[in-house]
Amino acid sequence: EQSFSSWLKSRRATACGLLLKLCSGAMAEEDEYVAGTIATIGSLITKPKMTEKYLKKPPFRFLHDIVMEVTKKTTFGQGLFTPEECDSGNLSDKQAKLDFLNKAISVTCFALGESIDVSANKIVAGLEPEKTNAWLQRLHAAATTCAGEKSDQAVARVQSGELVGAAKEKKKKPKEDAPPPPPAEGGDEDEAKKEEERRKRAERKKREEEKKRKEAEDAAAANEPPAPPAPSLDDEEERRKEEKRQKDEERRRRKEEERRLQEEQRRAEEAAAEAQAAEARAAEEMRRAEEAQ
């Protein structure tokens, strides 16, 4: 039993050691990409401040401020964004945020001539912060080495509609139908006749559907129970009289109830007064009897 307890303690110690190593490795990797961004972007701009909290899960406003400040500091990406996009307050919906990030990522890739493994969708969702930090570090490289002609060329490509994520987005879109082939020469008259025939068939079908709908409505109306007859003038007058009589009866009953309560209150007051007088008389008689003694 003692040897089993020793073995169990040993296994637990080993498991705890492995878990500690895994956690330490993950934290070291996390600290590494955060430190890399602080050493690059953090050395280029002073605001927003590169804090561990924001770099581990960068919010959109934080990234927007970084991109704007980098452009202001180095002129890299100048002219890329519209005046509305330069104000993060105008970018409240998800699509506007995605458009801004895709522009910023694309101009970085085009200027450096390389692809960056980062997704605007994942950034907005708060996922894959290590890839977001990797992009920020490449943004620093582009801003410090490609400002000027390379930046202008990259901006022009983005403004022309070219984006690094455009191919991925196209894959998600459904395949558009191919345009119909042009009519053969000399076939314009036949095509016109066919089109006229199609139009006539559509009109006939529409008239038939309208006729069926009207017949269905008539049948439904015929099956509905007849509406109750409207009350006659005499019945309406009788009803009003009955209502008036009931109201008058209610008012009379209330008045009688009020009179009854008033009468009971008066009698109670009289009884109280009489009791008080009797008490006074008894007290007077007792006083006289005491005097006579």
Side-chain angles (χ1 to χ4, degrees):
E1 184 178 351
Q2 186 176 1
S3 60
F4 176 76
S5 299
S6 301
W7 175 83
L8 184 59
K9 288 181 181 179
S10 174
R11 298 293 293 177
R12 285 177 179 174
T14 303
C16 290
L18 290 174
L19 182 60
L20 183 60
K21 287 182 180 179
L22 289 173
C23 293
S24 300
M27 291 176 64
E29 183 179 353
E30 189 175 81
D31 293 341
E32 184 178 352
Y33 70 71
V34 168
T37 305
I38 293 174
T40 52
I41 290 290
S43 65
L44 181 63
I45 59 177
T46 57
K47 61 178 184 178
K49 189 175 181 180
M50 299 297 108
T51 62
E52 183 178 352
K53 173 184 174 182
Y54 288 143
L55 290 173
K56 285 184 176 180
K57 192 173 182 180
F60 174 77
R61 172 66 183 275
F62 176 69
L63 297 174
H64 183 278
D65 291 347
I66 289 175
V67 173
M68 291 293 100
E69 192 65 20
V70 166
T71 300
K72 180 179 177 182
K73 187 78 173 180
T74 66
T75 72
F76 176 76
Q78 192 168 21
L80 176 63
F81 301 105
T82 64
E84 290 77 13
E85 290 174 325
C86 291
D87 183 359
S88 61
N90 297 325
L91 309 178
S92 56
D93 62 283
K94 181 179 178 181
Q95 188 57 51
K97 294 177 181 179
L98 292 176
D99 292 342
F100 178 91
L101 291 171
N102 278 323
K103 281 186 174 182
I105 294 169
S106 297
V107 78
T108 306
C109 293
F110 294 155
L112 294 172
E114 63 184 46
S115 61
I116 301 174
D117 183 16
V118 65
S119 166
N121 279 292
K122 295 291 181 65
I123 294 176
V124 172
L127 303 175
E128 299 181 347
E130 69 282 0
K131 293 184 178 181
T132 305
N133 278 263
W135 161 58
L136 290 175
Q137 293 168 28
R138 299 313 295 156
L139 173 63
H140 169 268
T144 53
T145 62
C146 301
E149 185 178 356
K150 287 185 177 180
S151 172
D152 295 340
Q153 292 174 353
V155 169
R157 290 176 65 180
V158 175
Q159 288 181 335
S160 68
E162 186 178 355
L163 296 173
V164 291
K168 296 180 181 179
E169 294 296 328
K170 286 181 179 178
K171 290 180 181 178
K172 297 179 181 179
K173 294 182 179 179
K175 186 177 179 180
E176 297 181 356
D177 296 333
E185 294 183 2
D188 292 343
E189 185 176 352
D190 293 340
E191 186 62 29
K193 289 180 180 179
K194 291 179 181 179
E195 181 62 28
E196 180 66 18
E197 184 63 26
R198 283 195 294 269
R199 185 184 63 80
K200 289 181 179 179
R201 284 199 300 268
E203 289 180 354
R204 284 197 300 270
K205 183 178 180 181
K206 184 178 179 181
R207 285 195 298 268
E208 290 174 359
E209 290 177 352
E210 182 66 22
K211 182 179 178 182
K212 290 179 180 179
R213 185 185 62 80
K214 190 174 184 309
E215 289 176 352
E217 290 177 354
D218 294 340
N223 293 330
E224 289 180 356
S232 63
L233 293 178
D234 292 340
D235 294 340
E236 184 67 20
E237 183 67 22
E238 186 65 27
R239 185 185 63 80
R240 285 198 294 267
K241 288 180 179 180
E242 179 62 23
E243 289 179 355
K244 184 175 182 302
R245 185 188 65 77
Q246 291 177 357
K247 290 180 181 179
D248 293 342
E249 180 67 21
E250 181 66 20
R251 283 195 295 268
R252 184 186 63 78
R253 187 186 62 76
R254 289 179 181 175
K255 287 181 180 180
E256 289 180 353
E257 182 68 18
E258 289 176 0
R259 283 196 297 269
R260 184 182 65 78
L261 293 175
Q262 290 174 358
E263 181 66 21
E264 289 180 355
Q265 184 177 0
R266 184 185 63 78
R267 290 177 181 176
E269 291 175 352
E270 289 178 353
E274 185 177 351
Q276 188 175 2
E279 185 178 353
R281 286 194 300 271
E284 180 64 21
E285 290 177 357
M286 184 178 295
R287 185 185 62 79
R288 289 178 182 177
E290 290 176 352
E291 289 177 355
Q293 291 177 358

Short mmCIF file of all heavy atoms in Angstrom, two decimals, residues 53-88:
data_model
loop_
_atom_site.label_atom_id
_atom_site.label_comp_id
_atom_site.label_asym_id
_atom_site.label_seq_id
_atom_site.Cartn_x
_atom_site.Cartn_y
_atom_site.Cartn_z
N LYS A 53 -2.51 43.86 -22.81
CA LYS A 53 -3.95 43.59 -22.80
C LYS A 53 -4.55 43.72 -24.20
O LYS A 53 -5.29 42.84 -24.66
CB LYS A 53 -4.64 44.56 -21.85
CG LYS A 53 -6.16 44.48 -21.87
CD LYS A 53 -6.76 45.56 -20.97
CE LYS A 53 -8.28 45.57 -21.11
NZ LYS A 53 -8.89 46.64 -20.29
N TYR A 54 -4.23 44.80 -24.90
CA TYR A 54 -4.81 45.02 -26.22
C TYR A 54 -4.15 44.17 -27.29
O TYR A 54 -4.80 43.77 -28.26
CB TYR A 54 -4.70 46.50 -26.59
CG TYR A 54 -5.64 47.38 -25.82
CD1 TYR A 54 -5.26 48.66 -25.42
CD2 TYR A 54 -6.92 46.95 -25.49
CE1 TYR A 54 -6.12 49.47 -24.70
CE2 TYR A 54 -7.79 47.76 -24.78
CZ TYR A 54 -7.39 49.01 -24.38
OH TYR A 54 -8.25 49.82 -23.67
N LEU A 55 -2.87 43.88 -27.16
CA LEU A 55 -2.18 43.10 -28.18
C LEU A 55 -2.58 41.62 -28.14
O LEU A 55 -2.51 40.93 -29.15
CB LEU A 55 -0.67 43.23 -28.02
CG LEU A 55 -0.11 44.62 -28.37
CD1 LEU A 55 1.36 44.71 -28.03
CD2 LEU A 55 -0.34 44.94 -29.84
N LYS A 56 -3.00 41.13 -26.98
CA LYS A 56 -3.42 39.73 -26.88
C LYS A 56 -4.80 39.51 -27.49
O LYS A 56 -5.15 38.39 -27.86
CB LYS A 56 -3.39 39.27 -25.43
CG LYS A 56 -1.98 39.04 -24.91
CD LYS A 56 -2.00 38.49 -23.48
CE LYS A 56 -0.60 38.17 -23.01
NZ LYS A 56 -0.58 37.65 -21.63
N LYS A 57 -5.60 40.57 -27.56
CA LYS A 57 -6.91 40.51 -28.24
C LYS A 57 -7.21 41.90 -28.78
O LYS A 57 -8.00 42.64 -28.20
CB LYS A 57 -8.00 40.04 -27.28
CG LYS A 57 -9.29 39.67 -28.00
CD LYS A 57 -10.30 39.06 -27.04
CE LYS A 57 -11.56 38.66 -27.80
NZ LYS A 57 -12.58 38.06 -26.90
N PRO A 58 -6.60 42.26 -29.92
CA PRO A 58 -6.69 43.64 -30.40
C PRO A 58 -8.10 44.02 -30.83
O PRO A 58 -8.66 43.40 -31.73
CB PRO A 58 -5.73 43.66 -31.60
CG PRO A 58 -4.88 42.45 -31.45
CD PRO A 58 -5.74 41.44 -30.76
N PRO A 59 -8.71 45.04 -30.21
CA PRO A 59 -10.01 45.52 -30.67
C PRO A 59 -9.85 46.34 -31.95
O PRO A 59 -8.75 46.85 -32.24
CB PRO A 59 -10.50 46.39 -29.51
CG PRO A 59 -9.26 46.82 -28.80
CD PRO A 59 -8.27 45.73 -28.99
N PHE A 60 -10.93 46.50 -32.70
CA PHE A 60 -10.84 47.20 -33.98
C PHE A 60 -10.39 48.64 -33.80
O PHE A 60 -9.55 49.14 -34.55
CB PHE A 60 -12.19 47.16 -34.70
CG PHE A 60 -12.22 47.98 -35.95
CD1 PHE A 60 -11.64 47.51 -37.11
CD2 PHE A 60 -12.80 49.26 -35.96
CE1 PHE A 60 -11.63 48.28 -38.27
CE2 PHE A 60 -12.80 50.03 -37.11
CZ PHE A 60 -12.22 49.54 -38.26
N ARG A 61 -10.94 49.33 -32.81
CA ARG A 61 -10.58 50.75 -32.61
C ARG A 61 -9.07 50.88 -32.36
O ARG A 61 -8.43 51.81 -32.87
CB ARG A 61 -11.37 51.29 -31.41
CG ARG A 61 -10.96 52.70 -30.95
CD ARG A 61 -11.28 53.75 -32.00
NE ARG A 61 -10.84 55.05 -31.59
CZ ARG A 61 -11.54 55.89 -30.82
NH1 ARG A 61 -12.73 55.52 -30.38
NH2 ARG A 61 -11.09 57.09 -30.52
N PHE A 62 -8.50 49.97 -31.63
CA PHE A 62 -7.07 49.97 -31.34
C PHE A 62 -6.27 49.82 -32.64
O PHE A 62 -5.31 50.57 -32.89
CB PHE A 62 -6.76 48.83 -30.37
CG PHE A 62 -5.32 48.64 -30.05
CD1 PHE A 62 -4.62 49.57 -29.30
CD2 PHE A 62 -4.65 47.50 -30.48
CE1 PHE A 62 -3.28 49.38 -28.98
CE2 PHE A 62 -3.31 47.30 -30.16
CZ PHE A 62 -2.62 48.25 -29.42
N LEU A 63 -6.67 48.88 -33.51
CA LEU A 63 -5.97 48.67 -34.78
C LEU A 63 -6.15 49.85 -35.72
O LEU A 63 -5.22 50.24 -36.44
CB LEU A 63 -6.49 47.38 -35.43
CG LEU A 63 -6.23 46.09 -34.64
CD1 LEU A 63 -6.92 44.91 -35.30
CD2 LEU A 63 -4.74 45.82 -34.50
N HIS A 64 -7.35 50.42 -35.74
CA HIS A 64 -7.61 51.59 -36.57
C HIS A 64 -6.69 52.74 -36.17
O HIS A 64 -6.09 53.41 -37.03
CB HIS A 64 -9.08 52.00 -36.42
CG HIS A 64 -9.48 53.15 -37.27
ND1 HIS A 64 -9.24 54.47 -36.92
CD2 HIS A 64 -10.12 53.21 -38.48
CE1 HIS A 64 -9.70 55.27 -37.86
NE2 HIS A 64 -10.25 54.54 -38.82
N ASP A 65 -6.57 52.97 -34.87
CA ASP A 65 -5.72 54.06 -34.40
C ASP A 65 -4.25 53.81 -34.77
O ASP A 65 -3.51 54.75 -35.10
CB ASP A 65 -5.85 54.22 -32.88
CG ASP A 65 -7.21 54.76 -32.48
OD1 ASP A 65 -7.94 55.22 -33.38
OD2 ASP A 65 -7.54 54.70 -31.29
N ILE A 66 -3.83 52.53 -34.72
CA ILE A 66 -2.45 52.21 -35.09
C ILE A 66 -2.19 52.54 -36.56
O ILE A 66 -1.20 53.20 -36.91
CB ILE A 66 -2.15 50.72 -34.83
CG1 ILE A 66 -2.08 50.44 -33.33
CG2 ILE A 66 -0.84 50.30 -35.51
CD1 ILE A 66 -1.91 48.97 -32.98
N VAL A 67 -3.09 52.09 -37.44
CA VAL A 67 -2.91 52.32 -38.88
C VAL A 67 -2.88 53.82 -39.18
O VAL A 67 -2.03 54.32 -39.93
CB VAL A 67 -4.03 51.62 -39.67
CG1 VAL A 67 -3.96 52.00 -41.14
CG2 VAL A 67 -3.93 50.11 -39.51
N MET A 68 -3.80 54.58 -38.58
CA MET A 68 -3.85 56.02 -38.82
C MET A 68 -2.59 56.72 -38.31
O MET A 68 -2.06 57.61 -38.96
CB MET A 68 -5.09 56.60 -38.14
CG MET A 68 -6.43 56.20 -38.74
SD MET A 68 -6.68 56.87 -40.42
CE MET A 68 -6.27 55.45 -41.41
N GLU A 69 -2.11 56.29 -37.15
CA GLU A 69 -0.93 56.93 -36.57
C GLU A 69 0.33 56.59 -37.37
O GLU A 69 1.23 57.44 -37.52
CB GLU A 69 -0.77 56.49 -35.11
CG GLU A 69 0.24 57.29 -34.33
CD GLU A 69 -0.14 58.75 -34.15
OE1 GLU A 69 -1.33 59.08 -34.29
OE2 GLU A 69 0.77 59.57 -33.88
N VAL A 70 0.41 55.35 -37.88
CA VAL A 70 1.56 54.96 -38.71
C VAL A 70 1.60 55.81 -39.98
O VAL A 70 2.66 56.29 -40.40
CB VAL A 70 1.50 53.46 -39.05
CG1 VAL A 70 2.46 53.11 -40.17
CG2 VAL A 70 1.81 52.62 -37.81
N THR A 71 0.44 56.01 -40.62
CA THR A 71 0.38 56.86 -41.82
C THR A 71 0.78 58.29 -41.49
O THR A 71 1.52 58.93 -42.24
CB THR A 71 -1.04 56.83 -42.40
OG1 THR A 71 -1.38 55.49 -42.76
CG2 THR A 71 -1.14 57.71 -43.64
N LYS A 72 0.30 58.78 -40.36
CA LYS A 72 0.63 60.15 -39.95
C LYS A 72 2.13 60.30 -39.67
O LYS A 72 2.73 61.34 -39.99
CB LYS A 72 -0.18 60.51 -38.71
CG LYS A 72 0.06 61.90 -38.18
CD LYS A 72 -0.81 62.15 -36.96
CE LYS A 72 -0.53 63.53 -36.36
NZ LYS A 72 -1.35 63.77 -35.13
N LYS A 73 2.72 59.25 -39.11
CA LYS A 73 4.13 59.32 -38.73
C LYS A 73 5.06 59.14 -39.92
O LYS A 73 6.12 59.78 -40.01
CB LYS A 73 4.41 58.22 -37.69
CG LYS A 73 5.79 58.27 -37.07
CD LYS A 73 5.88 59.33 -36.01
CE LYS A 73 7.21 59.24 -35.28
NZ LYS A 73 7.33 60.29 -34.24
N THR A 74 4.69 58.26 -40.88
CA THR A 74 5.63 57.89 -41.94
C THR A 74 5.13 58.21 -43.35
O THR A 74 5.90 58.04 -44.30
CB THR A 74 5.91 56.38 -41.87
OG1 THR A 74 4.69 55.67 -42.17
CG2 THR A 74 6.39 55.98 -40.48
N THR A 75 3.87 58.58 -43.51
CA THR A 75 3.20 58.81 -44.80
C THR A 75 2.92 57.49 -45.54
O THR A 75 2.41 57.52 -46.66
CB THR A 75 3.97 59.75 -45.74
OG1 THR A 75 5.14 59.09 -46.25
CG2 THR A 75 4.34 61.03 -45.05
N PHE A 76 3.27 56.35 -44.94
CA PHE A 76 2.97 55.07 -45.60
C PHE A 76 1.45 54.88 -45.64
O PHE A 76 0.77 55.01 -44.64
CB PHE A 76 3.61 53.90 -44.87
CG PHE A 76 3.25 52.57 -45.46
CD1 PHE A 76 3.83 52.13 -46.65
CD2 PHE A 76 2.31 51.75 -44.86
CE1 PHE A 76 3.49 50.91 -47.20
CE2 PHE A 76 1.96 50.53 -45.40
CZ PHE A 76 2.55 50.10 -46.58
N GLY A 77 0.94 54.53 -46.83
CA GLY A 77 -0.49 54.32 -47.01
C GLY A 77 -1.28 55.60 -47.11
O GLY A 77 -2.52 55.58 -47.01
N GLN A 78 -0.60 56.70 -47.35
CA GLN A 78 -1.30 57.99 -47.44
C GLN A 78 -2.23 58.01 -48.65
O GLN A 78 -1.87 57.61 -49.73
CB GLN A 78 -0.28 59.13 -47.54
CG GLN A 78 -0.88 60.51 -47.35
CD GLN A 78 0.21 61.57 -47.18
OE1 GLN A 78 1.35 61.36 -47.57
NE2 GLN A 78 -0.14 62.69 -46.59
N GLY A 79 -3.46 58.49 -48.44
CA GLY A 79 -4.45 58.53 -49.51
C GLY A 79 -5.22 57.24 -49.69
O GLY A 79 -6.06 57.14 -50.59
N LEU A 80 -4.94 56.24 -48.87
CA LEU A 80 -5.60 54.94 -49.02
C LEU A 80 -7.05 54.98 -48.57
O LEU A 80 -7.93 54.39 -49.21
CB LEU A 80 -4.84 53.88 -48.21
CG LEU A 80 -5.45 52.47 -48.18
CD1 LEU A 80 -5.46 51.87 -49.58
CD2 LEU A 80 -4.67 51.56 -47.23
N PHE A 81 -7.32 55.70 -47.51
CA PHE A 81 -8.66 55.67 -46.92
C PHE A 81 -9.43 56.95 -47.21
O PHE A 81 -8.84 58.03 -47.37
CB PHE A 81 -8.54 55.48 -45.40
CG PHE A 81 -7.83 54.22 -45.01
CD1 PHE A 81 -6.53 54.25 -44.53
CD2 PHE A 81 -8.46 52.99 -45.14
CE1 PHE A 81 -5.88 53.10 -44.17
CE2 PHE A 81 -7.80 51.82 -44.78
CZ PHE A 81 -6.51 51.88 -44.30
N THR A 82 -10.75 56.81 -47.28
CA THR A 82 -11.63 57.97 -47.47
C THR A 82 -11.70 58.76 -46.16
O THR A 82 -11.36 58.24 -45.09
CB THR A 82 -13.04 57.52 -47.86
OG1 THR A 82 -13.62 56.77 -46.77
CG2 THR A 82 -13.00 56.64 -49.10
N PRO A 83 -12.15 60.03 -46.22
CA PRO A 83 -12.29 60.80 -44.97
C PRO A 83 -13.21 60.11 -43.96
O PRO A 83 -12.96 60.19 -42.76
CB PRO A 83 -12.89 62.13 -45.45
CG PRO A 83 -12.43 62.25 -46.87
CD PRO A 83 -12.40 60.87 -47.41
N GLU A 84 -14.24 59.43 -44.45
CA GLU A 84 -15.14 58.72 -43.53
C GLU A 84 -14.42 57.56 -42.85
O GLU A 84 -14.62 57.31 -41.66
CB GLU A 84 -16.37 58.19 -44.29
CG GLU A 84 -17.33 59.27 -44.78
CD GLU A 84 -16.84 59.99 -46.01
OE1 GLU A 84 -15.86 59.50 -46.63
OE2 GLU A 84 -17.40 61.05 -46.35
N GLU A 85 -13.56 56.86 -43.60
CA GLU A 85 -12.85 55.72 -43.02
C GLU A 85 -11.78 56.15 -42.03
O GLU A 85 -11.37 55.36 -41.17
CB GLU A 85 -12.21 54.89 -44.14
CG GLU A 85 -13.21 54.13 -44.99
CD GLU A 85 -12.57 53.44 -46.17
OE1 GLU A 85 -11.60 54.01 -46.73
OE2 GLU A 85 -13.02 52.35 -46.55
N CYS A 86 -11.33 57.39 -42.13
CA CYS A 86 -10.29 57.86 -41.21
C CYS A 86 -10.84 58.08 -39.81
O CYS A 86 -10.07 58.21 -38.86
CB CYS A 86 -9.68 59.16 -41.73
SG CYS A 86 -8.69 58.92 -43.24
N ASP A 87 -12.15 58.14 -39.67
CA ASP A 87 -12.79 58.30 -38.36
C ASP A 87 -13.40 56.96 -37.97
O ASP A 87 -14.34 56.49 -38.61
CB ASP A 87 -13.86 59.39 -38.42
CG ASP A 87 -14.50 59.64 -37.06
OD1 ASP A 87 -14.13 58.95 -36.08
OD2 ASP A 87 -15.38 60.52 -36.98
N SER A 88 -12.88 56.34 -36.93
CA SER A 88 -13.37 55.01 -36.53
C SER A 88 -14.82 55.05 -36.08
O SER A 88 -15.51 54.03 -36.10
CB SER A 88 -12.51 54.44 -35.40
OG SER A 88 -12.56 55.29 -34.26
#
